[in-house]
Structures are given as structure tokens and as C-alpha cells.
Amino acid sequence: MTREKKPIRVLFSCTGVGIFNRGIESFFRESFDGLKDAMPGIECRLIKGAGPSSDREKTVWCLPRTGKLAEFLGRLIRRNAYVVEQLSSFPAVVLQIRKFQPDVIFYSDSNLGYQLYRWRKLIGVPYKLLFSNGGPIHAPFVRTDYIQQVAPLYLEDALKAGEPPERHFMVPYGINPGSPPKLDMQDRVVLRRKLGLPENRSIVLSVGWIAKQHKRMDYLIREVAAISEPRPFLQLLGAIDQESHEIIDLGNKLLGSENFSVMSVPYSQVAEYYQAADCFVLCSLKEGFGRVYLEALMHGLPVIAHNFPVMNFVIGEVGVLGDLGREGELSNLLINQLKNPMDHEASSRRWESVSDRFSWKVLAPVYAKIFRKVSSEL
């Protein structure tokens, strides 16, 4: 009689799931959902910071980065609230590790990962650590076992820095592309009415942290303000904090409330804004990956981004790349793009580019191969 082979156990760890929503948190939420039943012989479990628990999803106690206590403690230790969230979760995460006995811990929260590396022997479970480098951080990678690089540029950078090739895997973020987009103008009018958006104007959408830093929302506002009539309506969606007030004031000053809106909405509602918009723009000059590009493309939206190797890799031939570090560049690209009516064939090509390259159906075998490789080193 042959003995049944024990499944490989993979623990997806991301304390921000349920607490916060940016690229890393949405990736871990969706990667767990997309992979948990798609990899034969691999058993998955998710650790998260908030939301209901189940047999396969465990909510662990932590001080959420959105709370005042985490902010206060962060100032005391000269770090930020995000670090406090990770460190405070450590005892509860260790408890789940001892219960689940994972072969692989898949994570992107580096401060928590450092503790899991440092105290591995004391924890008493011989897991391997697989760090998902979506930030990204750069070599040397000294307190982890293996690294997932999500774009070719960062794999090349690591190897140039002398990192051992066998420690690194290049596999991109994945996403559930859903069904092909439907281009029904009457449905779009109804949806715009529901969302309080203009019904008969072009709408430019940007999704990201509402701040100058990184996402460069100030540049976007100035470029839209430089467009003469007919000026598009600008909708910003994203995390709003103390850094956001300057952006909101600038938008109200240069565009006015009739041409501009900014808000933070639950992740489940963001899809409606993609469906209602005419064009998506993100003005970052660099990105670790940029899952919002995939979200926009899978809803059929034209996408404008800065000409950087990572964006080139993600968007491919179905987006528009330009020098968004240059004044006047984005306004010209927007004028040219918005001249073209929404086209069903072009929208379908954008969806197909996401489905063919980044869907879980395509990527699940690649992730499974990586998890098996990492676990084989035990």
C-alpha cells in the first residue's frame, strides 16, 4: 500500500488585509482567493488583521495602523504605525504558525518577516520564508530565504547586486480579470448618476494615495487644469490622510468642485468607478508593480502611465506611456486620448491582455512550482 503524500502547507501572511487597502493588501487578499483551490497538493491558509475568521482564514490580534495608539507608539519608537501593526501581531502570528505548521510562509510585511527569521528556531517550526517584494526593497536580502520579484527590472537589479539566482523567482502579481467589459452607454449613464458623476462629460480617474509623494496627484491636477474646454472631470480615489489636504485644496483651487472630486471608498466599490470613467491615469514615476493598472485595463479603460520599465512590463502594448515628469506631457496625452470614443474592440484587447498574462488561471501553476521548490529545501 502506498502512503499518501502530505500536502505542502503555505501560510499567506498579511496583517493589513481587512485593515488597509493598497497594492500589497489587495494582492494578498486576491492571491489567497485565487490560489487556495487552484494548486493540487498545496494547502493554503491566510493570516489577516481584521474580518471574520474561518477554517482557512485566521484573524490575528494587532494594533491596526489606522488607529491612534499605533500612531502614538510609532512616534515613540521613531517608526510608523505600519511597523507597529506588524510587530504587535507577532505573538498571534506565532500561535497560528505553531497550529498550522506551515512549510512556507509567504509574506510582504518585512518587519514581521525579520522577526520570523530571527526567532525561527525558538518558534520551533522549520518553515521557509518567501518574501514577496512588491515594495520594492533592494539587495542585499539578508533576513529571508527566498524572494518573489514581481517585475523583471527588480530581478535584474538583484542579480546585478550579486544576489544568488537560485534565491529569486520572477513571477508577477496576479488578478481575477472577471468577465470581458460590456460597453453599454446607457448603463454607464445610470452608473454615473448613482455615483454622482457628470453624465455627459469625459471622466479621468486616478486611484492611489491622495498625496504629492509617489503618486504625484498634484501634477495630475495641474495637467488637467491646463486643458481648456471641454475640460474633463477628475475623480481621485484613495487613502486620505494628513498629506491629502494639500492635494484637496489644490484641486478645489485649480479645478473647482464642478470639475473635481476626491474620496475614499471601500475596495468593493472601486470597480464601479472604473466602469464609469473614460480614462485612467497614474502619475507615479516608479512603481513596484501597480495593480491598479491591471484593474483599469480589465475594465477596458485606456491607461496612461509614465514610461518606466515596470509600467512597460505591466501595461504592455495596450497602454499609453509618456514622460510624466515633464510639464505639459500628460495634458497633451489626455487631449489626444479623450478625442477617441470608447471602442469595444480596444476595450476587449485591454481585458485580454490582463487575462492572458496575469489571471490566476495562467499564474497558478507558476506559483505552485515556486511553493514546491521552496518547500523542497526543508
Side-chain angles (χ1 to χ4, degrees), residues 16-30:
V17 172
I19 292 175
F20 203 70
N21 188 62
R22 54 175 178 162
I24 289 172
E25 288 78 20
S26 58
F27 165 67
F28 270 83
R29 173 71 271 174
E30 191 158 318

PDB file of all heavy atoms in Angstrom, residues 16-30:
ATOM      1  N   GLY A  16      -2.359  43.537   7.061  1.00  0.00           N
ATOM      2  CA  GLY A  16      -3.154  44.650   6.553  1.00  0.00           C
ATOM      3  C   GLY A  16      -4.450  44.236   5.894  1.00  0.00           C
ATOM      4  O   GLY A  16      -5.334  45.078   5.690  1.00  0.00           O
ATOM      5  N   VAL A  17      -4.596  42.958   5.527  1.00  0.00           N
ATOM      6  CA  VAL A  17      -5.845  42.504   4.911  1.00  0.00           C
ATOM      7  C   VAL A  17      -6.988  42.713   5.898  1.00  0.00           C
ATOM      8  O   VAL A  17      -6.949  42.248   7.033  1.00  0.00           O
ATOM      9  CB  VAL A  17      -5.752  41.017   4.497  1.00  0.00           C
ATOM     10  CG1 VAL A  17      -7.115  40.513   4.035  1.00  0.00           C
ATOM     11  CG2 VAL A  17      -4.718  40.834   3.397  1.00  0.00           C
ATOM     12  N   GLY A  18      -7.994  43.440   5.473  1.00  0.00           N
ATOM     13  CA  GLY A  18      -9.120  43.774   6.330  1.00  0.00           C
ATOM     14  C   GLY A  18      -8.975  45.100   7.038  1.00  0.00           C
ATOM     15  O   GLY A  18      -9.949  45.640   7.559  1.00  0.00           O
ATOM     16  N   ILE A  19      -7.737  45.637   7.073  1.00  0.00           N
ATOM     17  CA  ILE A  19      -7.476  46.906   7.760  1.00  0.00           C
ATOM     18  C   ILE A  19      -7.238  48.035   6.769  1.00  0.00           C
ATOM     19  O   ILE A  19      -7.748  49.148   6.925  1.00  0.00           O
ATOM     20  CB  ILE A  19      -6.242  46.764   8.684  1.00  0.00           C
ATOM     21  CG1 ILE A  19      -6.554  45.824   9.850  1.00  0.00           C
ATOM     22  CG2 ILE A  19      -5.785  48.131   9.213  1.00  0.00           C
ATOM     23  CD1 ILE A  19      -5.358  45.543  10.745  1.00  0.00           C
ATOM     24  N   PHE A  20      -6.463  47.736   5.739  1.00  0.00           N
ATOM     25  CA  PHE A  20      -5.994  48.774   4.817  1.00  0.00           C
ATOM     26  C   PHE A  20      -6.062  48.209   3.409  1.00  0.00           C
ATOM     27  O   PHE A  20      -6.096  46.985   3.224  1.00  0.00           O
ATOM     28  CB  PHE A  20      -4.552  49.153   5.169  1.00  0.00           C
ATOM     29  CG  PHE A  20      -4.127  50.517   4.717  1.00  0.00           C
ATOM     30  CD1 PHE A  20      -4.640  51.658   5.309  1.00  0.00           C
ATOM     31  CD2 PHE A  20      -3.201  50.672   3.694  1.00  0.00           C
ATOM     32  CE1 PHE A  20      -4.239  52.915   4.904  1.00  0.00           C
ATOM     33  CE2 PHE A  20      -2.792  51.930   3.283  1.00  0.00           C
ATOM     34  CZ  PHE A  20      -3.316  53.054   3.896  1.00  0.00           C
ATOM     35  N   ASN A  21      -6.070  49.080   2.420  1.00  0.00           N
ATOM     36  CA  ASN A  21      -6.115  48.574   1.052  1.00  0.00           C
ATOM     37  C   ASN A  21      -5.162  49.358   0.164  1.00  0.00           C
ATOM     38  O   ASN A  21      -5.405  50.503  -0.169  1.00  0.00           O
ATOM     39  CB  ASN A  21      -7.527  48.652   0.480  1.00  0.00           C
ATOM     40  CG  ASN A  21      -7.601  47.940  -0.857  1.00  0.00           C
ATOM     41  OD1 ASN A  21      -7.370  46.739  -0.944  1.00  0.00           O
ATOM     42  ND2 ASN A  21      -7.891  48.683  -1.902  1.00  0.00           N
ATOM     43  N   ARG A  22      -4.054  48.716  -0.153  1.00  0.00           N
ATOM     44  CA  ARG A  22      -3.129  49.231  -1.169  1.00  0.00           C
ATOM     45  C   ARG A  22      -2.729  48.019  -1.990  1.00  0.00           C
ATOM     46  O   ARG A  22      -3.361  46.965  -1.930  1.00  0.00           O
ATOM     47  CB  ARG A  22      -1.916  49.903  -0.517  1.00  0.00           C
ATOM     48  CG  ARG A  22      -1.219  49.023   0.472  1.00  0.00           C
ATOM     49  CD  ARG A  22       0.053  49.611   1.049  1.00  0.00           C
ATOM     50  NE  ARG A  22       0.597  48.674   2.027  1.00  0.00           N
ATOM     51  CZ  ARG A  22       1.839  48.693   2.459  1.00  0.00           C
ATOM     52  NH1 ARG A  22       2.673  49.593   2.000  1.00  0.00           N
ATOM     53  NH2 ARG A  22       2.254  47.808   3.343  1.00  0.00           N
ATOM     54  N   GLY A  23      -1.671  48.134  -2.798  1.00  0.00           N
ATOM     55  CA  GLY A  23      -1.309  47.031  -3.675  1.00  0.00           C
ATOM     56  C   GLY A  23      -1.004  45.746  -2.948  1.00  0.00           C
ATOM     57  O   GLY A  23      -1.460  44.659  -3.337  1.00  0.00           O
ATOM     58  N   ILE A  24      -0.224  45.826  -1.851  1.00  0.00           N
ATOM     59  CA  ILE A  24       0.186  44.617  -1.137  1.00  0.00           C
ATOM     60  C   ILE A  24      -1.017  43.915  -0.514  1.00  0.00           C
ATOM     61  O   ILE A  24      -1.186  42.695  -0.651  1.00  0.00           O
ATOM     62  CB  ILE A  24       1.236  44.966  -0.064  1.00  0.00           C
ATOM     63  CG1 ILE A  24       2.567  45.340  -0.726  1.00  0.00           C
ATOM     64  CG2 ILE A  24       1.426  43.812   0.914  1.00  0.00           C
ATOM     65  CD1 ILE A  24       3.608  45.879   0.231  1.00  0.00           C
ATOM     66  N   GLU A  25      -1.859  44.670   0.175  1.00  0.00           N
ATOM     67  CA  GLU A  25      -3.005  44.057   0.854  1.00  0.00           C
ATOM     68  C   GLU A  25      -3.995  43.466  -0.151  1.00  0.00           C
ATOM     69  O   GLU A  25      -4.498  42.348   0.044  1.00  0.00           O
ATOM     70  CB  GLU A  25      -3.714  45.083   1.742  1.00  0.00           C
ATOM     71  CG  GLU A  25      -2.932  45.456   2.982  1.00  0.00           C
ATOM     72  CD  GLU A  25      -1.795  46.443   2.714  1.00  0.00           C
ATOM     73  OE1 GLU A  25      -1.833  47.130   1.679  1.00  0.00           O
ATOM     74  OE2 GLU A  25      -0.880  46.509   3.548  1.00  0.00           O
ATOM     75  N   SER A  26      -4.285  44.200  -1.230  1.00  0.00           N
ATOM     76  CA  SER A  26      -5.226  43.669  -2.216  1.00  0.00           C
ATOM     77  C   SER A  26      -4.638  42.455  -2.922  1.00  0.00           C
ATOM     78  O   SER A  26      -5.366  41.512  -3.265  1.00  0.00           O
ATOM     79  CB  SER A  26      -5.616  44.753  -3.229  1.00  0.00           C
ATOM     80  OG  SER A  26      -4.488  45.274  -3.898  1.00  0.00           O
ATOM     81  N   PHE A  27      -3.308  42.439  -3.116  1.00  0.00           N
ATOM     82  CA  PHE A  27      -2.679  41.269  -3.726  1.00  0.00           C
ATOM     83  C   PHE A  27      -2.824  40.043  -2.834  1.00  0.00           C
ATOM     84  O   PHE A  27      -3.200  38.958  -3.305  1.00  0.00           O
ATOM     85  CB  PHE A  27      -1.203  41.521  -4.010  1.00  0.00           C
ATOM     86  CG  PHE A  27      -0.432  40.261  -4.298  1.00  0.00           C
ATOM     87  CD1 PHE A  27      -0.686  39.525  -5.439  1.00  0.00           C
ATOM     88  CD2 PHE A  27       0.521  39.787  -3.405  1.00  0.00           C
ATOM     89  CE1 PHE A  27      -0.008  38.340  -5.700  1.00  0.00           C
ATOM     90  CE2 PHE A  27       1.211  38.613  -3.654  1.00  0.00           C
ATOM     91  CZ  PHE A  27       0.942  37.884  -4.803  1.00  0.00           C
ATOM     92  N   PHE A  28      -2.551  40.178  -1.536  1.00  0.00           N
ATOM     93  CA  PHE A  28      -2.638  39.008  -0.662  1.00  0.00           C
ATOM     94  C   PHE A  28      -4.088  38.538  -0.511  1.00  0.00           C
ATOM     95  O   PHE A  28      -4.346  37.326  -0.453  1.00  0.00           O
ATOM     96  CB  PHE A  28      -1.993  39.284   0.694  1.00  0.00           C
ATOM     97  CG  PHE A  28      -0.540  38.938   0.709  1.00  0.00           C
ATOM     98  CD1 PHE A  28       0.400  39.831   0.237  1.00  0.00           C
ATOM     99  CD2 PHE A  28      -0.107  37.697   1.152  1.00  0.00           C
ATOM    100  CE1 PHE A  28       1.748  39.505   0.209  1.00  0.00           C
ATOM    101  CE2 PHE A  28       1.239  37.355   1.126  1.00  0.00           C
ATOM    102  CZ  PHE A  28       2.172  38.265   0.656  1.00  0.00           C
ATOM    103  N   ARG A  29      -5.016  39.457  -0.458  1.00  0.00           N
ATOM    104  CA  ARG A  29      -6.424  39.059  -0.409  1.00  0.00           C
ATOM    105  C   ARG A  29      -6.785  38.262  -1.664  1.00  0.00           C
ATOM    106  O   ARG A  29      -7.371  37.188  -1.609  1.00  0.00           O
ATOM    107  CB  ARG A  29      -7.293  40.302  -0.294  1.00  0.00           C
ATOM    108  CG  ARG A  29      -8.810  40.117  -0.393  1.00  0.00           C
ATOM    109  CD  ARG A  29      -9.397  39.433   0.813  1.00  0.00           C
ATOM    110  NE  ARG A  29      -9.430  37.984   0.702  1.00  0.00           N
ATOM    111  CZ  ARG A  29      -9.792  37.182   1.686  1.00  0.00           C
ATOM    112  NH1 ARG A  29     -10.150  37.684   2.858  1.00  0.00           N
ATOM    113  NH2 ARG A  29      -9.808  35.883   1.519  1.00  0.00           N
ATOM    114  N   GLU A  30      -6.436  38.805  -2.807  1.00  0.00           N
ATOM    115  CA  GLU A  30      -6.845  38.171  -4.057  1.00  0.00           C
ATOM    116  C   GLU A  30      -5.991  36.956  -4.401  1.00  0.00           C
ATOM    117  O   GLU A  30      -6.481  36.002  -4.996  1.00  0.00           O
ATOM    118  CB  GLU A  30      -6.815  39.185  -5.198  1.00  0.00           C
ATOM    119  CG  GLU A  30      -7.479  38.641  -6.437  1.00  0.00           C
ATOM    120  CD  GLU A  30      -7.953  39.713  -7.391  1.00  0.00           C
ATOM    121  OE1 GLU A  30      -8.511  40.723  -6.928  1.00  0.00           O
ATOM    122  OE2 GLU A  30      -7.760  39.521  -8.585  1.00  0.00           O
TER     123      GLU A  30
END
